[in-house]
Structure formats: structure tokens, C-alpha cells
Amino acid sequence: MHDDSILVAIEAALSRPAFCSCGTQLHLATHDGAVWLECDAFERPSRLPSGLALLVRELGHDRQHVVDLPETGAAPLAA
């Protein structure tokens, strides 16, 4: 399935450089059924429990929702 609105949202997110409050340039990542513009800190391994690690990262680093991805199991529209 090809959805132009997803491409437009991603292009808009990448059209201007965005930086985290820690100084790292934000990059695109996909998880939780969406595309995000986020700091590298969200991908680094941690020895903390996952919920606590996410909370600590959200307090000190930036993450921006770009667009929700369509469900992969969705039936295509009839032509």
C-alpha cells in the first residue's frame, strides 16, 4: 500500500534539522505502529528495567511523533 500522506509527513519532519536538548540530531525511527523523530538515547541499551529506562530517557531527551503507520493486516481498498 502506498500512502502519500505518510511520505509527506516524513519529508516535512526531515525538511529542517531537529536537535535533542542533549545536542544530538534527531533521527527517524519506527516503533509502536508509528514513525518518530527521536534522540539516539532511546535506542541505547540500559541496565535499568525497560519502563524506568524509558521514563529516564523521556525526562532528558526528545522524541516527536511524526505519523501513524497503517496496519499491515488492513485489507486494501477496492478499486
Side-chain angles (χ1 to χ4, degrees):
M1 183 167 130
H2 181 71
D3 190 349
D4 288 337
S5 63
I6 293 173
L7 295 175
V8 169
I10 290 171
E11 287 175 355
L14 294 175
S15 66
R16 61 196 178 297
F19 292 89
C20 179
S21 55
C22 73
T24 303
Q25 187 169 2
L26 301 180
H27 70 280
L28 286 177
T30 57
H31 52 82
D32 301 327
V35 177
W36 300 81
L37 199 57
E38 65 184 23
C39 180
D40 288 334
F42 286 94
E43 294 181 9
R44 290 185 202 134
S46 174
R47 288 184 270 183
L48 296 173
S50 60
L52 183 57
L54 180 60
L55 175 65
V56 170
R57 289 174 179 149
E58 287 181 344
L59 291 174
H61 299 281
D62 298 321
R63 171 187 273 179
Q64 301 168 7
H65 178 264
V66 175
V67 65
D68 289 323
L69 295 173
E71 294 181 21
T72 56
L77 298 175

